[in-house]
Amino acid sequence: MENLQTKNKETYADDVLRLALDVGEGMLKNGGEVSRVEDTIERICHAYGAVHVEVFCIISLINASVRMEDDTYSSQIRRVKSTGMNFSLLEELNGLSREVCRDVPSLEYFDGKLHELKNKKYGSHALSMFAWMLAAASFAVFFGGGFWECLWAAIAGVAMFCIDTYAPRRVSTIAKNVMSAFVAALLAAVSEFIHGGEGSVIIMGSLMLLVPGVAIGTAMRDILCGELLAGMLKLLQACLAALMLAFGYILAATLMGGGAI
């Protein structure tokens, strides 16, 4: 610890907090609970010599400050504009936080490992597209669909994957949900018109991919852990996402004169 503190004494507190916030921001962006994010940032800062740490986190903002043993102080804010679900990256970030808290490696090593995780690719687009197809078709089978329902649900899965992956960055998750539900309902109506199948099965099978069940569970965990503000905000976000799925379906059903029902 002495070598680290004397090497960059003037910026040491800033560097420690910056790296801790990098980990916390990555966890928050990829499905981590607010309480876990706050706890991780606090543990990393204490491991690197902080004597006082304050962290406040909600779904779109992390505000943290640290005070070191030599009374150097740092305060930083991170704005989190979008969140998603990447449990592979979340697990690796959690593993990195445990490693640095246990071994307290150099800040250069810590920074290098973070850059590796940020640049790491988790599966190709082709594999992700196949997963969306398979999941949508499987849900269609679960809801009693036959061959044609599974096929059209798989096509809807591909369309939803393209919307989720290739939409401009300024398009929010809620807007993507509206577009995905709209496209899925249109494809269900086309299927009914061509094959006379069960359009509702196609809609349910494809939209199950976007139902925010994990987000609602995470929100409830935050609420039970005492993070009332963050939990309520996340629960509101999940409910809005679910409502936008219904809104997209209603738009398509209205356009098709009820054919997608």
Side-chain angles (χ1 to χ4, degrees):
M1 290 298 300
E2 292 182 358
N3 292 334
L4 288 175
Q5 289 177 335
T6 57
K7 186 174 181 180
N8 296 301
K9 187 175 181 179
E10 294 182 355
T11 63
Y12 182 73
D14 290 332
D15 293 338
V16 169
L17 185 55
R18 173 179 61 81
L19 293 174
L21 284 175
D22 283 344
V23 175
E25 181 183 5
M27 295 176 68
L28 188 62
K29 283 183 175 180
N30 293 283
E33 302 95 342
V34 166
S35 56
R36 178 65 61 86
V37 171
E38 292 180 344
D39 183 65
T40 297
I41 294 173
E42 289 178 5
R43 288 177 181 270
I44 292 175
C45 292
H46 282 304
Y48 281 94
V51 295
H52 186 76
V53 184
E54 294 289 349
V55 185
F56 175 74
C57 178
I58 56 177
I59 60 175
S60 59
L61 181 72
I62 307 176
N63 188 0
S65 61
V66 296
R67 180 168 57 84
M68 312 305 290
E69 293 179 351
D70 58 359
D71 286 334
T72 54
Y73 177 85
S74 178
S75 180
Q76 299 178 31
I77 295 176
R78 291 292 175 88
R79 176 76 166 88
V80 180
K81 295 183 178 181
S82 62
T83 58
M85 294 290 172
N86 187 337
F87 291 140
S88 296
L89 179 55
L90 182 62
E91 183 179 4
E92 295 205 41
L93 287 170
N94 187 56
L96 177 60
S97 69
R98 292 178 182 274
E99 178 186 351
V100 298
C101 288
R102 181 183 65 248
D103 301 332
V104 195
S106 68
L107 296 182
E108 291 78 9
Y109 173 85
F110 191 0
D111 194 24
K113 294 293 289 185
L114 273 173
H115 276 84
E116 287 181 14
L117 292 181
K118 289 179 180 178
N119 296 326
K120 186 174 181 180
K121 296 186 181 297
Y122 294 88
S124 64
H125 282 185
L127 182 61
S128 298
M129 182 182 295
F130 176 75
W132 281 67
M133 290 175 57
L134 182 62
S138 299
F139 277 120
V141 173
F142 177 81
F143 290 116
F147 172 78
W148 290 112
E149 285 80 9
C150 292
L151 177 62
W152 282 95
I155 295 173
V158 172
M160 292 160 62
F161 165 81
C162 292
I163 292 172
D164 183 72
T165 305
Y166 299 112
R169 295 183 61 181
R170 64 179 179 273
V171 178
S172 67
T173 300
I174 291 178
K176 290 179 183 178
N177 281 3
V178 174
M179 292 187 289
S180 295
F182 182 81
V183 170
L186 284 182
L187 290 173
V190 172
S191 173
E192 283 189 350
F193 178 76
I194 296 176
H195 305 290
E198 289 289 337
S200 59
V201 172
I202 299 171
I203 295 171
M204 289 188 293
S206 56
L207 294 191
M208 281 296 293
L209 303 180
L210 299 177
V211 173
V214 176
I216 292 174
T218 302
M220 294 306 300
R221 178 188 172 101
D222 282 333
I223 291 173
L224 293 176
C225 288
E227 301 287 348
L228 299 180
L229 177 60
M232 292 301 295
L233 287 174
K234 188 169 289 186
L235 184 61
L236 176 61
Q237 185 184 52
C239 291
L240 282 175
L243 286 174
M244 290 303 102
L245 291 177
F247 180 65
Y249 161 73
I250 291 171
L251 284 178
T254 303
L255 180 65
M256 301 299 293
I261 298 177

